[in-house]
Amino acid sequence: YEARVTADLAPAEDAAGVNARVRVAMGPHVRVVFTGDPIPEDRRESLVPIRRERSVDQEVLEDASRNIEVYLRGQGYRQAEAPSTRVEQDGELVITFAVTRGPLHRLDGVELRGQRGLGPTDVQDLLKLQAGEPYDDRRVGTVAAAIA
């Protein structure tokens, strides 16, 4: 993923053509490693799109870390982190995502307070949260905004 190709062009001695010299640097072999808490095998490609992007640029790695964190936070792990590191040795670039889920948070219940003129049936369609489901800041925020 870090291959480089450069071309040098110079006039030919007979001035009728061009001499082209192409240099290819393959770059290191890239290996992606996940440490810490598990990420399902079937989700890794979509969360860490290195193969699809054909790149291991810092921006791609930062996006991948963020993708993992958002995925885990949606599962109820509000403090999830997945920083990446790059270590190159012996012609191999090892990219490691250190995944830490943190504690699992679940909704204990949903309670409405302070509403006047609205009964539970008035907002029931908006309350798409169930006791016992994983807590997801985004979903709770969406429900709060819908009620407001």
mmCIF file of all heavy atoms in Angstrom, residues 73-74 78 135-142:
data_model
loop_
_atom_site.group_PDB
_atom_site.id
_atom_site.type_symbol
_atom_site.label_atom_id
_atom_site.label_comp_id
_atom_site.label_asym_id
_atom_site.label_seq_id
_atom_site.Cartn_x
_atom_site.Cartn_y
_atom_site.Cartn_z
ATOM 1 N N ARG A 73 -19.499 1.953 20.427
ATOM 2 C CA ARG A 73 -20.387 2.826 21.208
ATOM 3 C C ARG A 73 -21.845 2.536 20.876
ATOM 4 O O ARG A 73 -22.706 2.606 21.748
ATOM 5 C CB ARG A 73 -20.021 4.282 20.980
ATOM 6 C CG ARG A 73 -18.700 4.616 21.653
ATOM 7 C CD ARG A 73 -18.204 5.990 21.378
ATOM 8 N NE ARG A 73 -16.882 6.141 22.002
ATOM 9 C CZ ARG A 73 -16.035 7.085 21.694
ATOM 10 N NH1 ARG A 73 -16.344 8.004 20.797
ATOM 11 N NH2 ARG A 73 -14.861 7.132 22.291
ATOM 12 N N GLY A 74 -22.133 2.189 19.646
ATOM 13 C CA GLY A 74 -23.472 1.789 19.262
ATOM 14 C C GLY A 74 -23.899 0.475 19.891
ATOM 15 O O GLY A 74 -25.084 0.172 19.981
ATOM 16 N N ARG A 78 -19.725 2.877 25.825
ATOM 17 C CA ARG A 78 -19.627 4.335 25.682
ATOM 18 C C ARG A 78 -18.196 4.862 25.749
ATOM 19 O O ARG A 78 -17.924 5.963 25.295
ATOM 20 C CB ARG A 78 -20.466 5.010 26.765
ATOM 21 C CG ARG A 78 -21.932 4.696 26.635
ATOM 22 C CD ARG A 78 -22.736 5.365 27.709
ATOM 23 N NE ARG A 78 -22.734 6.800 27.485
ATOM 24 C CZ ARG A 78 -22.860 7.691 28.450
ATOM 25 N NH1 ARG A 78 -22.998 7.314 29.700
ATOM 26 N NH2 ARG A 78 -22.865 8.965 28.163
ATOM 27 N N TYR A 135 -26.982 1.047 25.713
ATOM 28 C CA TYR A 135 -27.107 2.499 25.701
ATOM 29 C C TYR A 135 -26.265 3.052 24.559
ATOM 30 O O TYR A 135 -25.079 2.771 24.448
ATOM 31 C CB TYR A 135 -26.626 3.082 27.030
ATOM 32 C CG TYR A 135 -26.781 4.580 27.085
ATOM 33 C CD1 TYR A 135 -27.945 5.153 27.567
ATOM 34 C CD2 TYR A 135 -25.766 5.421 26.639
ATOM 35 C CE1 TYR A 135 -28.106 6.528 27.603
ATOM 36 C CE2 TYR A 135 -25.913 6.798 26.668
ATOM 37 C CZ TYR A 135 -27.082 7.341 27.147
ATOM 38 O OH TYR A 135 -27.234 8.688 27.174
ATOM 39 N N ASP A 136 -26.887 3.849 23.723
ATOM 40 C CA ASP A 136 -26.210 4.476 22.588
ATOM 41 C C ASP A 136 -26.523 5.968 22.633
ATOM 42 O O ASP A 136 -27.678 6.370 22.468
ATOM 43 C CB ASP A 136 -26.708 3.849 21.282
ATOM 44 C CG ASP A 136 -26.069 4.448 20.039
ATOM 45 O OD1 ASP A 136 -25.280 5.407 20.144
ATOM 46 O OD2 ASP A 136 -26.360 3.943 18.942
ATOM 47 N N ASP A 137 -25.502 6.793 22.877
ATOM 48 C CA ASP A 137 -25.684 8.239 22.979
ATOM 49 C C ASP A 137 -26.436 8.808 21.775
ATOM 50 O O ASP A 137 -27.286 9.686 21.919
ATOM 51 C CB ASP A 137 -24.333 8.952 23.094
ATOM 52 C CG ASP A 137 -23.717 8.822 24.470
ATOM 53 O OD1 ASP A 137 -24.448 8.906 25.463
ATOM 54 O OD2 ASP A 137 -22.484 8.639 24.542
ATOM 55 N N ARG A 138 -26.107 8.320 20.588
ATOM 56 C CA ARG A 138 -26.736 8.852 19.373
ATOM 57 C C ARG A 138 -28.230 8.564 19.356
ATOM 58 O O ARG A 138 -29.029 9.442 19.034
ATOM 59 C CB ARG A 138 -26.080 8.275 18.127
ATOM 60 C CG ARG A 138 -24.646 8.734 17.928
ATOM 61 C CD ARG A 138 -23.997 8.065 16.751
ATOM 62 N NE ARG A 138 -24.085 6.616 16.958
ATOM 63 C CZ ARG A 138 -23.986 5.711 16.003
ATOM 64 N NH1 ARG A 138 -23.807 6.083 14.768
ATOM 65 N NH2 ARG A 138 -24.063 4.427 16.274
ATOM 66 N N ARG A 139 -28.619 7.338 19.695
ATOM 67 C CA ARG A 139 -30.049 6.989 19.702
ATOM 68 C C ARG A 139 -30.802 7.771 20.760
ATOM 69 O O ARG A 139 -31.893 8.282 20.508
ATOM 70 C CB ARG A 139 -30.239 5.492 19.942
ATOM 71 C CG ARG A 139 -29.892 4.664 18.722
ATOM 72 C CD ARG A 139 -30.439 3.258 18.782
ATOM 73 N NE ARG A 139 -31.894 3.286 18.785
ATOM 74 C CZ ARG A 139 -32.649 2.583 19.629
ATOM 75 N NH1 ARG A 139 -32.104 1.806 20.527
ATOM 76 N NH2 ARG A 139 -33.955 2.650 19.564
ATOM 77 N N VAL A 140 -30.238 7.859 21.957
ATOM 78 C CA VAL A 140 -30.899 8.604 23.025
ATOM 79 C C VAL A 140 -31.026 10.075 22.634
ATOM 80 O O VAL A 140 -32.080 10.680 22.828
ATOM 81 C CB VAL A 140 -30.139 8.444 24.368
ATOM 82 C CG1 VAL A 140 -30.686 9.367 25.428
ATOM 83 C CG2 VAL A 140 -30.212 6.993 24.836
ATOM 84 N N GLY A 141 -30.007 10.639 22.017
ATOM 85 C CA GLY A 141 -30.066 12.028 21.558
ATOM 86 C C GLY A 141 -31.125 12.224 20.488
ATOM 87 O O GLY A 141 -31.826 13.239 20.470
ATOM 88 N N THR A 142 -31.250 11.266 19.581
ATOM 89 C CA THR A 142 -32.253 11.346 18.529
ATOM 90 C C THR A 142 -33.664 11.312 19.115
ATOM 91 O O THR A 142 -34.543 12.081 18.707
ATOM 92 C CB THR A 142 -32.074 10.184 17.518
ATOM 93 O OG1 THR A 142 -30.771 10.297 16.931
ATOM 94 C CG2 THR A 142 -33.131 10.208 16.435
#
